[in-house]
Amino acid sequence: MVNGPPHFTESTVFPREPGKNCRVYAFSKDGSLFAWASGEKVSVIDVTNNAPLHSLHLPKAVCLEFSPQNTVLATWQPYTTSKDGSAGTPNLQLYDVKTGACLKSFIQKKMQNWCPSWSDDEIICARNVNNEVHFFENNNFNTIANKLHLQKVNDFVLSPGPHPYKVAVCVPGSKGAPSFVRLYQYPNFTGPHAALANKSFFKADKVTMLWNKKATAVLVIASTEVDKTGASYYGEQTLHYIATNGESAVVQLPKNGPIYDVVWNSSSTEFCAVYGFMPAKATIFNLKCDPVFDFGTGPRNAACYSPHGHILVLAGFGNLRGQMEVWDVKNYRLISKPVASDSTYFAWCPDGEHILTATCAPRLRVNNGYKIWHYTGSVLYKHEVPSNGELWQVSWQPFLDGVFPAKAITYQAVPSEVPSGEPKVATAYRPPALRNKPVTNSKLHEEEPPQNMKPHPGSDKPLSKTALKNQRKHEAKKAAKQVFI
């Protein structure tokens, strides 16, 4: 455990845990509790004073999670059946954090969506079991308080925030019937008019549902495994907006291609989508699904708002070079363009000022390590793992909302003694015959610049995509003529 900015020294409170089998840990939502699995046991401590709370004999634990109010620790071990083919032992355990007693054990075969979902106040808790969503109340797991039964429910998401609790459920299509997502208010699940909203769509093998912070709307990314037109290796994706007042819409994305990422702003009034064949577009939409600001095109496949919602990072990780664009989304101004090569992980610090990027195993097993950045582009700390070691997990200690107040945005890079160490971009190859001749700018893709989609005062409407393209061509021709005269 390392002290955060500005010190970056190893914590004296938490001693280093040796051993090669220590591969997973979890903080509680408020950052006060910490649990880790060593390959022999799961240990739980109080972070403030390193006071040991519990030691649980779970040698195969690979997933850990605390409930929102620190009442329950959920652990998951891979499911195994006995040699004679009889059912295996329960592999999902729920422990009382105060006493260390096991409250309940379940069989949970899949690692995907393994953890039960709690409401923020822990009044209700839900699990998806055999086409049903089972609801428990007040952490009493011996009695199912309610059931939401729909044929083949394969996913659900509880809304954040206080009562009234809402739940979004997804039922995949079969035998020519469409898939659908429905929103319900707990516990009103029965009757023809029980659903708050309903949206059905074809072309959906997989669905991702994202609630906004105020629990007033859900964004649904519907994906197919295969694009039947053959246009995309990624399959096809569509983006849908569903509000709890019953309104729904398809979000019209101006560029064809995959949807890489969609994120809500913490204000719950706008969201950002990154989409389209490379170079990808990024656009902010309002609750009417109208574009508000278009960031143009670039090498990016991820978006992440700062905790206070006033800064947005657009980035290209994974198979892209790791370029980041840090934007002030109140004034739509670019703050910085740092590069974090080979990053597999990105996270904002709860203070809204610092950023963590990391290269972790098993995604990449070379050049493992992490960097702490200031959003103005300066690298403040760099940790490289030795070539014979691997970095499996890295994250900030969480804090509750409101602990760190929002600060005014600065555009001046914060001073740093750490060089970013990014390799210089290689210049394009030029054959010997052209090396002494002037460079002509020929690009594979025509980069689109950022543009504000809000109508400007004095103008009736923002220019259409075609009008903008024609305007740019006209200006380029004019500029070319001036060069040759």
Side-chain angles (χ1 to χ4, degrees), residues 39-59:
E40 295 169 16
K41 60 185 180 179
V42 170
S43 307
V44 185
I45 61 161
D46 182 326
V47 176
T48 52
N49 55 10
N50 192 36
L53 299 177
H54 303 294
S55 179
L56 310 168
H57 181 68
L58 295 162

Side-chain angles (χ1 to χ4, degrees), residues 34 36 73 79 100 107 118 146 159 225 260 309 322 328 337 410 419 480:
F34 183 71
W36 73 97
L73 172 66
Y79 178 72
I107 287 178
W118 279 270
N146 268 293
S159 65
E225 304 294 337
Y260 304 103
D328 168 355
K337 282 187 83 168
T410 175

